[in-house]
Amino acid sequence: MKLWGGRFSAGPAELFERFSGSLHFDQRLFEADVVGSRAWAAALERVGIYSQTERQQVQAAFDEMLAESQSPEYFAGADDEDVHTFVIRKLGEKSEDLAARIHTGRSRNEQVATDFRLWMKGEIRANQSRLVDLMQALVDFAKREPTALLPGYTHLRRAQGVLWSHYCLAYFEMFARDYDRLADAYRRTDVLPYGAGALAGSGFPHDREAIAKDLGFASISANSLDVVSDRDFALDFLYAASTTMLHISRLAEDWILYTSEEFGFLEPGDEVTTGSSLMPQKRNPDALELVRGKSGRVIGHLQALMIVIKGLPLAYNRDLQEDKEGVFDAADQLAGCLEIIRLCVQTTKVNAAAMEKAADDSWTCATALAEFLARNGVAFHRAHQIVGTLVLQSTKEGRKPADWTLEQLREIAPEFDAEAAKLLSARRALENHTTPGATAPATVARSLAAAESRLEAMRRAR
Ligand code: ARG
């Protein structure tokens, strides 16, 4: 079936029909299309195209179609141009007369924009839920290991000690921003296109607010030309998905390193590791590598859609059909990666002794010693020099911080005292970091409590 044809003397080539058809991917919008069309039927009743009884019949038919579509055979063999055509044909199988009027004054341009937004709103909410689960898993990990101490890195060189719980909360913050970005994307998606027609609005006096209310949209679009060709909401979603994937990817990269024999800080669960077909000893972090890899794919979808849109003259152009596959794939990859990385967080164990030893062996306490001197009247530049000399001498002699006695420290600088000697441990050094958002134990405990209330607020807002 076709929704057009009167103006043509010959039909399109079969080659072109296959090329342009989108049902094989946009059937994913079936439910949104039916739900949208159900509301459209109500709109048509309000402008006198359907009687009340007819509108009820159409809506009942749509409800039946939603139930029937659960069967895997429902789409088998369909060769309609797109999901919108398919839905009308299926309605026609129930009532030819009612189906012949459902598209009154309606354009697929407003229809696909409405469907896509309806579908995306559901997808955004589902991924926000997955983010909340992941953030909860990070909070749980922080609580499971309240005292573990990690050498924090800059330039991938051991820098200063941080609590493992502080590290977990760093990723919590990234994912909380992603949650927010999705909420923002939702807000801009939550606008009704129906009533915009093909580009110029409708020749029927539709109550667009009523359609918006029926479909659960927060508002109606302000300009018909804009809304039929606007895909900013899809870009917003892809950007939010991309930043989330970046954060997942960075976590994965950290843990690929930390679970290696070279670091030995983390032990991955069997649930998310694989073996080698050849090397019997291997346990590979494939789950982490896959999410790192898939991040590139999602970022690619963002770029691709921007490029599709870049040169389009106003308003709708068929190029816009290229918006869907990338967004569908991005949504699938995002959902899968959020679930897998959560499983990784839930099943990974900390090797606290190895972490702390790495921090203690490597002068991650040096800054604390310099700050001690500065607190006791030594200009920071000189304090930095003094501790630098201490580290240089240690390195030459193969000594670690714990190998130094107070007497030896005082030979380097008489300002060192018993308090300073205690700072030769990474754990003691981080205790001074009490500024808000820092890594001292009491500070992290406060951040952890705040993170838990933020999660509660996110759950309440659903
Ligand atoms: N399948 C099209 C899309 O995904 C919607 C149909 C509008 N087609 C048209 N020729 N105006 O954008």
Side-chain angles (χ1 to χ4, degrees), residues 1-52:
M1 176 186 136
K2 269 193 194 38
L3 297 176
W4 46 271
R7 189 234 175 278
F8 292 81
S9 9
E14 198 212 313
L15 182 67
F16 173 60
E17 278 196 314
R18 255 189 288 123
F19 176 77
S20 80
S22 56
L23 183 61
H24 60 287
F25 59 84
D26 67 13
Q27 62 174 256
R28 192 160 173 172
L29 297 177
F30 174 79
E31 193 183 323
D33 196 80
V34 171
V35 168
S37 296
R38 213 166 43 185
W40 185 250
L44 290 180
E45 182 196 348
R46 285 191 294 266
V47 297
I49 297 295
Y50 286 137
S51 69
Q52 188 189 43

Side-chain angles (χ1 to χ4, degrees), residues 22 26 81-82 84 107-109 112 231 316-318 320-321 323-324:
S22 56
D26 67 13
E81 183 181 325
D82 54 25
H84 324 295
S107 163
R108 281 179 295 165
N109 301 350
V112 72
R231 294 294 182 273
Y316 179 87
N317 301 269
R318 190 68 182 274
L320 288 173
Q321 182 169 297
D323 60 357
K324 278 174 276 304

Side-chain angles (χ1 to χ4, degrees), residues 365 369 406 409 417-429:
C365 62
L369 283 176
L406 175 58
L409 277 185
D417 65 10
E419 203 45 50
K422 287 191 200 148
L423 292 172
L424 290 164
S425 110
R427 186 167 296 277
R428 184 61 197 78

